[in-house]
Amino acid sequence: MARTDARYNVTELRGLACLLLVAYHTVGVPGSGMHVADDSLYRYLTGSFELIRMPLFTFISGYVYAARPVRAGALRVFFGKKVRRLLLPFVIVSTVFYLLQTAAPGSHGNDAPEEMWRIYVFSYAHLWYLQALFLIFAAVGVADAFGLLATPRAFAPGFALALGAFFAIDTEANPWSVNEAATLLPHFLLGVAVRRFAATFRQPRVWALAPLGLAFGLAVHQASLLHLVPIQIGWKSGVALLCGMGGALTLLRVMPSSGVMRTVGEASYAIYLYHTFFTAAARIALVQLGWQADLLVFATSLGAGIAGPMVVEALAVQRPWSRVALVGRA
């Protein structure tokens, strides 16, 4: 993947988002991953990035999309590409993940539904993001095809609607991860806006607001994590918006150039798809060998979750069928 914009180290930023994601799934939620205590340092550190991690991924997706947005009359081609890129790997990886999860209970937690068909219709494991991102691309693609986001004046009502959906959409069944799509849509649109209306976002006062919002959001979130205030901060909150948007804008501005992070970022999609297979395998292997030190398990599983998918991608691209089926590339 070529660097997206000479002004910003976007590929490196995507690499950072990958590291945060793999670290989170390495530690896991209670009942999965490393099975560390709720008050452990590992869970605290991964929890500290809870409101930044996926918004950052989605912001980057919006920023990259804005380089080649949908044009009038091109929706069919656009959706065809998104089906290949997102939905085909979603079906294949979800199927394999489910079969492994049910064959080896505990290796990936205990969230597998009894009926297999549910993994394709409802939110499942980490693969919910592909469902949500497809819905986001669909909404933004249609809006762009009709010119509804082309200018700041046209963009503002669309962004306001996205903010309304952020707070309003919270279904109990959550078909096709619609709740998460609504939660992440404003972050995607922010990425689009930063690229599309670059002159506005290069103004010093705009950039100054981002770290201020991030600092305030993080302070409130940290107070919640440390039980200094009797509230829990979830994704559907103003604090989450401040952390997600402020974090994305601030990190975009300050992310340095790095060969290592660029390499990780170039493999970000494969890492997202396959990292859990390798983090679980490394963790289980270490435990079987008697190595149970938290730091060793964390570092080894994290490294496996980054390197393993890179190997999968390198092998997959050697054949046309595997390139399409396993990593969604033409």
Side-chain angles (χ1 to χ4, degrees):
M1 179 186 296
R3 292 183 64 179
T4 313
D5 190 328
R7 291 173 299 189
Y8 306 120
N9 297 306
V10 178
T11 305
E12 287 90 335
L13 188 58
R14 186 172 264 164
L16 174 62
C18 282
L19 287 178
L20 294 176
L21 175 73
V22 178
Y24 170 72
H25 284 134
T26 296
V27 175
V29 299
S32 70
M34 291 171 56
H35 297 280
V36 294
D38 289 347
D39 60 352
S40 73
L41 178 63
Y42 294 95
R43 204 172 298 287
Y44 165 73
L45 290 175
T46 56
S48 293
F49 291 97
E50 178 71 21
L51 305 181
I52 296 176
R53 191 166 46 241
M54 298 315 296
L56 178 60
F57 253 118
T58 312
F59 169 87
I60 296 169
S61 294
Y63 186 88
V64 173
Y65 159 82
R68 296 180 180 178
V70 179
R71 301 301 182 190
L75 273 176
R76 179 176 296 182
V77 174
F78 173 76
F79 277 106
K81 290 180 178 178
K82 294 309 172 189
V83 167
R84 183 199 70 219
R85 183 65 167 163
L86 297 176
L87 298 192
L88 184 56
F90 162 72
V91 170
I92 292 173
V93 178
S94 294
T95 301
V96 175
F97 190 86
Y98 179 85
L99 294 175
L100 287 175
Q101 188 177 36
T102 52
S107 61
H108 294 288
N110 304 303
D111 62 342
E114 292 185 6
E115 304 91 349
M116 187 175 178
W117 64 267
R118 298 182 68 86
I119 71 175
Y120 308 114
V121 179
F122 300 101
S123 180
Y124 174 59
H126 67 290
L127 298 158
W128 62 263
Y129 186 64
L130 302 184
Q131 296 175 325
L133 193 58
F134 185 84
L135 293 180
I136 290 171
F137 273 120
V140 175
V142 170
D144 256 342
F146 288 93
L148 301 179
L149 302 172
T151 66
R153 179 169 294 185
F155 193 93
F159 191 75
L161 285 174
L163 290 176
F166 174 92
F167 289 106
I169 296 179
D170 190 12
T171 67
E172 183 176 355
N174 194 24
W176 252 67
S177 304
V178 65
N179 294 346
E180 290 83 358
T183 300
L184 294 172
L185 177 58
H187 302 285
F188 187 96
L189 287 176
L190 179 63
V192 173
V194 170
R195 182 109 191 199
R196 188 163 292 176
F197 314 123
T200 298
F201 284 89
R202 282 199 296 268
Q203 296 180 25
R205 65 175 179 272
V206 174
W207 285 113
L209 290 174
L212 290 176
L214 174 62
F216 179 80
L218 287 178
V220 176
H221 188 217
Q222 285 295 308
S224 173
L225 289 176
L226 297 172
H227 306 293
L228 301 178
V229 293
I231 58 173
Q232 289 187 333
I233 307 297
W235 279 14
K236 296 282 190 180
S237 66
V239 170
L241 282 175
L242 285 175
C243 289
M245 293 185 175
L249 289 173
T250 301
L251 289 170
L252 179 69
R253 187 74 181 271
V254 304
M255 187 70 198
S257 176
S258 166
V260 173
M261 297 302 289
R262 193 177 311 127
T263 299
V264 174
E266 288 170 346
S268 61
Y269 189 48
I271 291 171
Y272 190 89
L273 288 172
Y274 298 106
H275 70 276
T276 55
F277 296 99
F278 292 95
T279 57
R283 185 184 72 250
I284 292 170
L286 287 174
V287 171
Q288 291 296 319
L289 291 171
W291 295 88
Q292 299 188 26
D294 286 345
L295 182 58
L296 175 64
V297 172
F298 176 78
T300 304
S301 298
L302 178 64
I306 295 294
M310 291 183 176
V311 175
V312 171
E313 183 173 42
L315 295 174
V317 298
Q318 300 303 313
R319 297 288 185 272
W321 68 268
S322 57
R323 183 165 58 245
V324 174
L326 299 182
V327 290
R329 289 170 57 176

